[in-house]
Each structure stands twice: as C-alpha cells, then as structure tokens.
Amino acid sequence: MIIVTDPTPEDHSLAIVRAGFVARGSSLHRWCRENGADTSNARRAIKGTWVGNKASELKERLLKAAGVEV
C-alpha cells in the first residue's frame, strides 16, 4: 500500500493513483472499464473537480483498488 501523508496538488493525486494501478499491473482506464465507471468521471473525482456522494464513493473505490491511502 502506498501512503501519502503530505498534502499534494490534485494533479499529483491523479498521478499517485495511476502509479498505484501500474504497480499492481493494471491501469486506471482498465479498472474503470472492468468496473463500469467512466474514466473522465474517475479523473475528476480524484482531482476534486467532481464532488458529491457519487464522486466520493467512486474516489474511495479507486483509492482502495489502487492501494493508495491519501
């Protein structure tokens, strides 16, 4: 599991999540495709430009799947 303790800009959060998927031999796009999530919504949820209950739920699922704790 990757643990990020320093607050980072939203763009770094996306890079960290992508790296988590790569480290697990997958990708953000593949996870979205396999889990019925829209890739652009996933990116926006991670960056914080899409907020709300659905965005929060998707972000939590993505972080868990990528093995990232922010």
Side-chain angles (χ1 to χ4, degrees), residues 3-63:
I3 300 175
V4 180
T5 55
D6 293 334
T8 58
E10 292 78 16
D11 290 337
H12 288 144
S13 296
L14 180 58
I16 290 167
V17 170
R18 285 179 178 267
F21 280 112
V22 170
R24 292 172 175 250
S26 188
S27 69
L28 175 62
H29 181 75
R30 179 187 293 169
W31 185 92
C32 289
R33 188 176 62 237
E34 291 174 352
N35 290 277
D38 182 74
T39 306
S40 62
N41 284 347
R43 286 192 303 262
R44 291 181 9 210
I46 294 166
K47 287 182 163 187
T49 58
W50 179 40
V51 294
N53 291 337
K54 288 183 180 181
S56 295
E57 290 172 13
L58 179 57
K59 184 176 180 179
E60 288 299 318
R61 289 176 55 207
L62 287 163
L63 293 175

